[in-house]
Amino acid sequence: MSLQPFKSIGIGAAFSPNLKANLHEAARLSLFFKSKLFLIHVGEVSDDKVKMLKIFLKPFEKDNLDYEVVYKSGNPVDVILSTTEEKNIDLLILGAVQRERFLKYYVGSIARKITRKAKCSVLLLIKPSVERIACEHIVVNGLKDPKTEQTIKAAFYVAKQLEADKITIVEEIKQEQVSVKVDDDKSLRKANIIKERIRLRENSRIKDIIGHIPEKYTKNIVTKLQPIFGKQGYSIGHYAQISRADLLVMNAPSKMTFWDRLFPHDIEHILTELPTDVLILQ
C-alpha cells in the first residue's frame, strides 16, 4: 500500500433513509482523497433513480466530483463484491448497524458479509451525516503484524487528508506475555517490570515505523502511543469508544473462517459492536 492508497472509492447505493448522508460522506472522501467515486446500485436503472442520485450529488458539481453509477441486479453481496473487482475499487464504503443481535452475528448482515469477503479496504459508517462532522482523533492498531507498518502509514495519510490533529497508536499486548502469576508484592513487582520492558520495546518498534513516514504526513499531528494489555480486538475497540475517537483504523485479517466467528477475536470483536466509524485496510 502506498501513502496514497485510494485511487477509486465505491459505495453501495441502496435507496434507504440514509442514502443522502452516505452519498455526501462518500463524495467528500472522494474529493479529500482525489479519487473516482463509483455508486453501486443493486437493481435496474430507472429515470427516478438517476434523477434522485443527481439531486443528492448536485452540491459537489462545483468541485468537479468524478463519479460513475453502476446498476446491476442480483444478490447484494455478490453484486457489490464483483463490482469492486471489476472497477478496481480500492476503498469500499458501507453503511453499518452499530450493534448486531446475537443471531445476526452468526448469520451476518450484508455489510459484515461483504467486509469479511472484500479484497479491498472497507470503511464502515455508523453515523453518516449530510453536513460534514470533522474527523479530529484517529485510533489505529499497532499490534506486531506484517501489515501494521502500512496500516499506520495509511492512517497518517488519512489524517492528513481529513485534517485530523491527533493519532493514537494502540499496541495491544496479550496478557500471556506477562508470564508471572501475581500472588504477593514480589511477584507484582516482577510483573510490572516485565510490563514496562514490553511497553518500551513496543514503543521503540512503533517509533521506528513513524520515523520512516515522510514528515509532511506527520507534521502538526499529535501522536500518542498507548500500550494496552488485554484481548486483541476488544481492547482497541473499547479504547476507541472511551476516547471518543472519530475513526478506528485496523488491519484486515489475513484469513477469516467459520471458527473465527464462533470464537471471535481481533476484527470480529470490532464487527460485532462498532465503537465508531471503522476503516479496515487490506
Side-chain angles (χ1 to χ4, degrees), residues 197-208:
R197 285 174 179 168
I198 293 173
R199 286 192 189 98
L200 292 172
R201 183 191 70 204
E202 291 298 294
N203 285 353
S204 176
R205 178 176 60 83
I206 297 301
K207 286 177 181 177
D208 184 61

Side-chain angles (χ1 to χ4, degrees), residues 1-44:
M1 181 186 292
S2 70
L3 269 175
Q4 292 183 330
F6 311 125
K7 295 181 177 64
S8 57
I9 294 176
I11 183 168
F15 285 83
S16 68
N18 278 342
L19 176 60
K20 184 177 181 181
N22 283 332
L23 292 185
H24 277 238
E25 294 280 14
R28 283 193 293 264
L29 288 173
S30 294
L31 293 172
F32 280 129
F33 297 145
K34 299 179 176 61
S35 310
K36 180 171 181 175
L37 177 62
F38 291 90
L39 311 182
I40 308 167
H41 176 67
V42 183
E44 299 292 333

Side-chain angles (χ1 to χ4, degrees), residues 13-15 19 23 39 41-56 69 71-73:
F15 285 83
L19 176 60
L23 292 185
L39 311 182
H41 176 67
V42 183
E44 299 292 333
V45 63
S46 72
D47 291 340
D48 287 342
K49 291 176 183 177
V50 171
K51 183 179 179 181
M52 184 177 290
L53 291 177
K54 283 186 176 179
I55 290 172
F56 284 163
V69 186
Y71 295 92
K72 189 186 291 188
S73 297

